[in-house]
């Protein structure tokens, strides 16, 4: 029998997934030892209720509950679990992680009777279990949220069969060394007196694994067996253990290194190397910068570096050796002098090897010392992809009303983008970008700005965001499926720099306060400038021009299909896939005489669709800069979970919701702010049959939904009146005069 030891102190939803994954194991001869860390549980303001989860688990699974009252911490919890385990094998599973169905059966298949240990693969994810796909790229290799990814390292792929390489030398940091995903014979643990060090609040895994590696004789491995480790993406509600900001942490860190070095000959050199590498690679910088409490850290780490053998020191360059020798001797002054030389050298190497470092340095020391220009205003829409959305219409208003009084700067990825009026284009992340970002008085951005360019006190940053949200955003998302583990943390820091946030309606004002944790006073509920053209007198004239530009025959009505992206369907950072569920051939056959289809993929989608087969029925609107102009020429809008419909509703034209994957999108990926059955201004259609029928009977649909549409309009389009740009511009210029 396998005893699975699960320590628990927090995270109801995590525990549910964890126990669910145990219940779903193909291998059945298991008991679960669930250890409650009562002391840690008490720290919660409102204790979580988990009785129902336990009750339904117990109905079909063997469960032993261990109450830990005198001790606390993960090491003590695992030891308590060990003491109560009656299986021949033990297996540690954290309550915020989970397994796939064949995890244990694969381990047992690989286990030979004499083996002490069988280890497996650990895959990292920020997905909950229902959304986990074993074939997705490992989250620790960094994917998902665009340019802000830092990319962690995971190189356990090589020499998987060698236990030292997999469990030890493949890990970059002490906290990456893990006792998870390893099936261990209990008699082996008992024979060698192996336990977790309860004195170690953090890093107890490292010592445990070091000791295990020193006494293990027979082992196997199974690449097919997968342990799923979840990253925490809400460090505010659920900080992971290795992220607690604890001033005492360094003591545990130094102690853990010392005990790992002393754990046995087989691993000693490796830990000495790791400690020295950490010292010169990470700590040196902290020490040099004089971070608070760093002198104490210096003393503690000196004791560790003192243990580093001469042979190990030889593996480092001469400057690093000097730093390490000074550290071992406890000589802070010499250490610092050498660190200074190292950092200056590194800065120069970095500056000349990567442009971004050079530009950041120039920005910091030169541009940042120049005056902010009161009449410079910088615009960016959709991270430089185009000239559209709120920034475009704020720009347009300023061009028309303030002309040459201001210098207009547009941030673009490609200078060929067509932008009307007098302006200067700069490429995102070029040297000019740094220059203008740092010197302009005003910035208007509809997404998020990079943190690598510090914002100055007298600069004004207006975030317009890019839509009224239907799907949950940032701090309202229980799980972030598309972004890196630091997503919420990064967004939090970015949004703190916004002076104003634009909102289209009272509903958005409410949501923005929770999803961005943003102050109400700084939210401008002025409506969307990009919706102004929908109220313009000449909107039909404009529509004719746009239709002509796109080559759409005047006598054809237009169906706009503008779906959004799917969080879990991507190739890599910021590159999303889209599989078309719409049956274009059928739509063409059934309504092709009256309509054309205008396809508009979301800007994250990189798949280009081959539309040639549909002849003159389909027009590609994906590369068209401005979706507002596409709204103006469309007679029907088909969308799904995109905020597109909130804007389109200003035209009071029919909207159809093609939600073929509603259950997954709503229940697994995102969750919505609206009760879509009740609140949407059009029908939810899940099949092509339903969709085509609705298009054919569009008059009936319109009249069936007229009450709902009116209600929707009053709730979400109540501020837009064609003068949003005017309100926004007056406000920010007025604020500009004050600063
Ligand atoms: N958009 C577009 N084409 C699409 C979909 C969206 O041009 N096929 C543009 C629209 O301007 C829309 C904006 O991108 O308002 C945001 O699109 P969403 O599909 O809502 O998705 P997302 O980018 O995740 O925005 O609060 C805003 C949203 O909830 C988040």
């Amino acid at each position: 029998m396998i005893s699975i030891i699960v320590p628990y102190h927090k995270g109801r939803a995590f525990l549910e997934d964890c126990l669910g994954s145990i219940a779903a194991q193909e291998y059945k001869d298991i008991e679960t030892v669930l250890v409650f860390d009562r002391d840690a549980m008490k720290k919660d303001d409102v204790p979580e209720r988990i009785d129902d989860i336990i009750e339904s688990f117990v109905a079909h699974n063997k469960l032993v509950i261990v109450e830990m009252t005198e001790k606390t911490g993960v090491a003590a919890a695992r030891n308590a679990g060990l003491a109560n385990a009656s299986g021949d094998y033990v297996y540690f599973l954290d309550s915020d992680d989970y397994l796939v169905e064949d995890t244990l059966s694969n381990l047992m298949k690989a286990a030979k009777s004499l083996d002490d240990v069988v280890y497996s693969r650990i895959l990292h994810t920020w997905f909950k279990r229902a959304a986990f796909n074993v074939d997705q790229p490992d989250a620790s290799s960094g994917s998902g949220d665009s340019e802000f990814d830092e990319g962690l390292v995971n190189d356990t792929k090589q020499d998987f069969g060698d236990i030292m390489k997999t469990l030890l030398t493949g890990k970059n940091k002490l906290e990456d060394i893990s006792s998870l995903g390893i099936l261990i014979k209990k008699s082996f643990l008992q024979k060698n007196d192996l336990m977790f060090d309860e004195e170690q609040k953090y890093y107890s895994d490292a010592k445990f694994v070091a000791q295990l590696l020193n006494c293990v004789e027979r082992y196997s491995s199974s690449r097919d067996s997968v342990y799923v480790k979840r990253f925490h993406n809400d460090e505010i509600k659920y900080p992971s253990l290795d992220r607690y900001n604890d001033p005492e942490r360094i003591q545990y860190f130094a102690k853990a290194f010392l005990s790992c070095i002393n754990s046995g000959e087989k691993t000693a050199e490796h830990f000495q190397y790791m400690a020295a590498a950490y010292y010169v690679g990470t700590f040196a910088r902290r020490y040099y910068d004089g971070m608070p409490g760093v002198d104490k850290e210096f003393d503690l780490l000196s004791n560790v570096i003192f243990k580093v053998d001469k042979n190990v020191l030889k593996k480092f360059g001469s400057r690093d050796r000097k730093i390490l020798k000074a550290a071992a001797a406890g000589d802070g002054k010499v250490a610092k002098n050498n660190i200074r030389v190292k950092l200056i050298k590194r800065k120069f190497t970095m500056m000349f090897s990567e442009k971004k470092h050079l530009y950041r340095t120039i920005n910091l020391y030169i541009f940042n010392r120049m005056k902010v220009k009161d009449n410079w205003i910088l615009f960016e829409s959709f991270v430089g992809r185009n000239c559209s959305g709120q920034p475009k219409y704020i720009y347009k208003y300023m061009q028309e009303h303030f002309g040459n009084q201001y210098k207009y700067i547009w941030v673009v990825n490609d200078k060929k983008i067509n932008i009307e009026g007098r302006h200067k284009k700069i490429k995102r992340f070029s040297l000019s970008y740094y220059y203008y970002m740092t010197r302009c008085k005003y910035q208007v951005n509809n997404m998020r700005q990079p943190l690598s360019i510090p914002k100055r006190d007298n600069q004004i940053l207006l975030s317009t965001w890019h839509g009224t949200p239907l799907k949950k955003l940032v701090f309202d998302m229980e799980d972030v499926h598309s972004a890196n583990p630091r997503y919420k943390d990064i967004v939090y820091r970015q949004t703190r720099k916004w002076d104003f946030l634009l909102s289209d309606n009272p509903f958005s004002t409410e949501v923005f306060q929770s999803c961005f944790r943003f102050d109400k006073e700084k939210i401008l509920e002025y409506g969307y400038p990009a919706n102004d053209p929908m109220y313009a007198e000449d909107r039909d004239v404009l529509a004719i021009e746009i239709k002509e530009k796109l080559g759409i025959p005047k006598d054809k009505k237009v169906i706009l299909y503008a779906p959004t992206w799917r969080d879990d369907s991507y190739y890599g950072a910021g590159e999303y896939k889209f599989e078309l569920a719409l049956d274009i051939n059928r739509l063409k056959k059934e309504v092709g005489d009256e309509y054309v289809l205008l396809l508009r993929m979301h800007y994250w989608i990189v798949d280009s669709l081959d539309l040639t087969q549909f002849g003159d029925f389909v027009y590609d609107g994906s590369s068209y800069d401005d979706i507002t102009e596409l709204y103006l020429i469309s007679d029907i809008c088909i969308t799904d979970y995109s905020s597109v419909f909130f804007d389109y509703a200003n035209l009071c034209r029919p909207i159809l919701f093609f939600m073929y994957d509603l259950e997954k999108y709503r229940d697994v990926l995102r969750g919505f702010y609206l009760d879509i059955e009740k609140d949407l201004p059009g029908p939810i259609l899940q099949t092509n049959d339903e969709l085509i029928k609705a298009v054919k009977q569009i008059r009936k649909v319109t009249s069936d939904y007229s009450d709902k549409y009116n209600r929707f309009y009053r709730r979400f389009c109540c501020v837009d009146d064609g003068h949003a740009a005017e309100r926004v511009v007056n406000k920010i210029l007025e604020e500009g005069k004050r600063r």
Side-chain angles (χ1 to χ4, degrees):
M1 184 168 74
I2 305 175
S3 298
I4 305 180
I5 296 170
V6 183
Y8 169 81
H9 76 285
K10 192 178 191 159
R12 181 191 146 90
F14 299 145
L15 182 71
E16 198 165 12
D17 260 0
C18 172
L19 294 183
S21 80
I22 296 177
Q25 285 303 295
E26 281 169 4
Y27 189 81
K28 292 290 175 208
D29 192 10
I30 44 184
E31 70 168 5
T32 302
V33 184
L34 184 60
V35 188
F36 289 141
D37 187 343
R38 285 286 172 203
D39 217 30
M41 285 158 97
K42 270 190 234 147
K43 288 188 186 126
D44 251 357
D45 305 340
V46 186
E48 289 176 317
R49 296 221 47 192
I50 51 167
D51 321 5
D52 53 331
I53 301 176
I54 306 285
E55 221 167 86
S56 74
F57 183 75
V58 166
H60 304 281
N61 301 278
K62 194 165 170 200
L63 181 72
V64 179
I65 290 185
V66 180
E67 295 275 352
M68 219 173 52
T69 45
E70 276 156 33
K71 293 175 180 173
T72 183
V74 67
R78 285 177 181 159
N79 285 344
L82 278 175
N84 287 278
S86 37
D88 319 300
Y89 289 97
V90 294
Y91 184 85
F92 299 105
L93 171 61
D94 284 352
S95 61
D96 50 351
D97 298 339
Y98 53 84
L99 308 175
V100 275
E101 284 167 20
D102 58 5
T103 303
L104 294 181
S105 58
N106 282 330
L107 278 176
M108 288 307 282
K109 259 184 241 157
K112 290 171 220 83
S113 61
L114 290 174
D115 284 343
D116 303 321
V117 158
V118 192
Y119 57 92
S120 70
R121 258 195 311 159
I122 296 186
L123 285 185
H124 302 80
T125 187
W126 44 84
F127 287 10
K128 63 176 128 180
R129 195 170 144 238
F132 180 75
N133 171 0
V134 100
D135 298 322
Q136 287 286 16
D138 189 82
S140 69
S141 57
S143 68
D145 193 41
S146 66
E147 76 264 49
F148 304 110
D149 262 33
E150 292 225 322
L152 307 168
V153 180
N154 179 20
D155 56 0
T156 51
K157 283 168 195 130
Q158 284 160 12
D159 292 309
F160 189 77
D162 180 339
I163 193 166
M164 288 291 264
K165 291 217 160 81
T166 306
L167 299 190
L168 194 61
T169 53
K171 313 290 180 190
N172 295 332
K173 299 190 222 135
L174 200 58
E175 54 270 37
D176 291 343
I177 298 172
S178 171
S179 61
L180 301 170
I182 313 174
L183 187 70
I184 313 172
K185 216 178 236 177
K186 207 168 81 206
S187 56
F188 163 76
L189 289 181
Q190 284 163 338
K191 190 173 86 193
N192 294 289
D193 234 354
L194 269 183
M195 291 226 294
F196 289 87
D197 182 349
E198 295 180 9
E199 301 284 300
Q200 281 293 132
K201 196 161 152 194
Y202 314 104
Y203 313 107
S204 59
D205 278 45
K207 182 176 173 188
F208 180 85
V209 172
Q211 291 180 335
L212 179 143
L213 289 171
N214 277 291
C215 47
V216 69
E217 280 166 18
R218 293 167 202 270
Y219 61 85
S220 316
S221 64
S222 167
R223 245 186 178 291
D224 296 331
S225 171
V226 168
Y227 178 101
V228 188
K229 180 142 196 59
R230 280 180 66 140
F231 284 138
H232 290 217
N233 48 37
D234 192 338
E235 292 299 333
I236 292 177
K237 270 199 322 234
Y238 296 111
S240 49
L241 195 56
D242 60 3
R243 296 243 198 145
Y244 276 121
N245 207 355
D246 181 348
E248 305 284 285
R249 175 184 287 273
I250 186 72
Q251 284 181 19
Y252 296 103
F253 186 69
K255 233 175 108 196
F257 258 127
L258 283 176
S259 55
C260 286
I261 291 171
N262 293 331
S263 285
E265 266 178 33
K266 276 199 212 166
T267 54
E269 264 201 16
H270 179 75
F271 281 107
Q272 291 174 26
Y273 181 82
M274 256 185 123
Y278 168 80
Y279 199 92
V280 291
T282 306
F283 177 71
R285 160 116 247 169
R286 280 174 67 76
Y287 185 50
Y288 185 73
D289 288 347
M291 308 297 271
V294 81
D295 286 332
K296 189 173 146 207
E297 294 181 22
F298 178 84
D299 292 342
L300 285 164
L301 289 175
S302 284
N303 295 334
V304 180
I305 302 304
F306 181 73
K307 294 275 178 193
V308 177
D309 198 81
K310 270 196 207 108
N311 291 331
V312 174
L313 283 182
K314 278 187 200 148
K315 295 180 185 166
F316 291 84
S318 68
R319 182 67 52 195
D320 284 346
R321 281 204 305 270
K322 282 185 185 147
I323 297 170
L324 292 167
K325 278 183 187 159
D331 190 337
K333 207 167 148 210
V334 175
K336 223 172 232 174
N337 283 340
N338 282 290
I339 295 170
R340 181 182 306 118
V341 179
K342 179 185 161 94
L343 290 178
I344 292 172
K345 261 175 130 180
R346 191 161 73 185
K347 183 134 213 150
F348 270 98
T349 326
M350 264 162 57
M351 266 167 54
F352 295 107
S353 62
E354 255 196 273
K355 266 198 209 148
K356 84 174 173 198
H357 294 296
L358 178 63
Y359 293 173
R360 279 182 197 177
T361 312
I362 295 175
N363 188 42
L364 201 65
Y365 293 105
I366 301 175
F367 303 158
N368 208 33
R369 292 180 180 168
M370 295 173 159
K371 263 182 76 182
V372 164
K373 290 288 217 176
D374 282 342
N375 66 337
W376 288 10
I377 175 157
L378 180 137
F379 298 90
E380 182 180 303
S381 77
F382 297 108
V383 281
R385 275 187 173 74
N386 52 35
C387 167
S388 74
Q390 322 315 332
K392 170 177 169 177
Y393 289 92
I394 293 173
Y395 164 71
K396 201 163 168 265
Y397 180 86
M398 288 198 74
Q399 285 270 348
E400 286 162 9
H401 294 83
F402 296 88
N404 290 341
Q405 289 177 43
Y406 287 87
K407 177 170 177 151
Y408 307 97
I409 301 119
W410 265 96
V411 177
V412 291
N413 294 333
D414 177 356
K415 285 202 173 173
K416 287 194 211 105
I417 289 174
N418 181 38
I419 301 175
E420 284 174 18
R422 219 178 124 123
H423 66 277
K424 180 166 181 61
K425 269 183 216 150
I426 50 164
K427 260 189 116 165
R428 213 159 177 261
F429 292 114
S430 64
L431 188 58
S432 321
Y433 173 72
Y434 286 87
Y435 177 76
Y436 284 106
M437 284 284 280
T438 301
R439 296 205 66 194
C440 67
K441 173 92 178 184
Y442 307 94
Q443 278 179 41
V444 180
N445 194 324
N446 72 352
M447 290 186 78
R448 294 183 278 129
Q449 79 289 358
L451 285 167
S452 57
I453 304 181
K455 185 178 157 264
R456 299 162 81 176
D457 290 343
N458 52 346
Q459 286 185 308
I460 295 172
L461 172 48
L462 165 71
S463 165
T464 67
W465 201 236
H466 45 275
T468 297
L470 166 69
K471 48 197 190 193
K472 294 225 166 144
L473 292 173
V474 203
F475 287 107
D476 292 334
M477 286 165 85
E478 181 196 313
D479 242 358
V480 181
H481 290 161
S482 58
N484 80 19
R486 293 176 51 234
Y487 174 74
K488 290 189 181 182
D489 182 37
I490 292 168
V491 178
Y492 187 76
R493 288 193 288 138
Q494 288 167 324
T495 48
R496 291 324 89 183
K497 308 273 175 206
W498 297 351
D499 294 289
F500 297 111
L501 168 61
L502 189 58
S503 152
D504 195 28
N505 42 49
F507 166 82
S508 299
T509 305
E510 187 92 32
V511 170
F512 289 160
Q513 290 172 62
S514 69
C515 76
F516 294 129
R517 299 186 172 225
F518 204 76
D519 287 349
K520 190 172 181 185
E521 297 78 66
K522 295 202 277 176
I523 301 179
L524 307 180
E525 196 181 284
Y526 288 176
Y528 275 167
N531 293 342
D532 285 349
M534 300 190 213
Y535 293 88
E537 275 171 18
D538 64 347
R539 80 175 189 198
D540 297 331
V541 182
L542 194 62
I544 294 171
E545 284 170 20
I546 299 162
K547 244 176 155 172
E548 245 167 46
K549 196 155 81 180
L550 282 163
I552 298 175
K554 266 195 216 133
D555 61 327
K556 284 282 168 80
K557 289 189 195 150
V558 176
I559 302 174
L560 171 68
Y561 179 42
T564 194
W565 54 294
R566 305 296 187 271
D567 304 56
D568 65 335
S569 192
Y570 57 83
Y571 297 106
E575 297 182 333
Y576 285 81
K577 300 181 196 176
F578 191 79
E579 277 168 40
L580 203 62
L582 183 70
D583 187 344
I584 299 185
N585 271 322
R586 268 197 62 200
L587 197 64
K588 180 181 177 185
K589 214 166 89 202
E590 308 223 19
V591 301
D593 288 341
E594 195 180 348
Y595 293 97
V596 294
L597 180 69
L598 181 55
L599 268 188
R600 166 75 176 193
M601 289 300 116
H602 188 275
Y603 50 89
W604 290 133
I605 305 297
V606 289
D607 286 326
S608 56
L609 307 169
D610 176 17
L611 304 176
T612 48
Q613 52 178 315
F614 306 111
D616 57 4
F617 176 64
V618 179
Y619 289 78
D620 185 3
S622 299
S623 54
Y624 197 83
D625 266 4
D626 185 359
I627 194 167
T628 306
E629 296 192 354
L630 303 184
Y631 295 152
L632 291 179
I633 62 166
S634 302
D635 299 277
I636 300 176
C637 171
I638 305 177
T639 184
D640 43 22
Y641 322 103
S642 176
S643 52
V644 154
F645 65 90
F646 291 101
D647 296 331
Y648 188 78
N650 281 289
L651 289 168
C652 298
R653 296 177 195 165
I655 303 171
L656 305 176
F657 295 87
F658 187 34
M659 296 181 165
Y660 51 88
D661 56 352
L662 173 61
E663 286 73 20
K664 182 173 179 199
Y665 200 96
R666 179 184 54 198
D667 305 334
V668 178
L669 293 179
R670 278 283 180 128
F672 301 137
Y673 287 111
L674 296 187
D675 176 349
I676 57 162
E677 313 285 341
K678 212 173 95 223
D679 298 333
L680 295 187
I684 297 173
L685 309 159
Q686 293 207 270
T687 64
N688 276 287
D689 281 343
E690 289 170 5
L691 181 71
I692 290 168
K693 192 170 159 209
V695 173
K696 287 167 94 175
Q697 302 182 346
I698 201 68
R699 274 167 190 273
K700 183 174 177 319
V701 171
T702 307
S703 91
D704 288 352
Y705 276 84
S706 79
D707 283 351
K708 275 195 176 177
Y709 209 124
N710 286 337
R711 236 179 295 138
F712 184 89
Y713 187 90
R714 284 199 299 274
R715 187 169 169 204
F716 297 101
C717 309
C718 52
V719 183
D720 285 324
D721 58 358
H723 298 284
E726 184 186 332
R727 286 188 283 268
V728 172
V729 170
N730 289 342
K731 174 74 187 178
I732 64 161
L733 295 187
E734 184 193 301
E735 179 67 18
K737 281 191 201 124
R738 267 193 350 99
R739 287 196 202 179

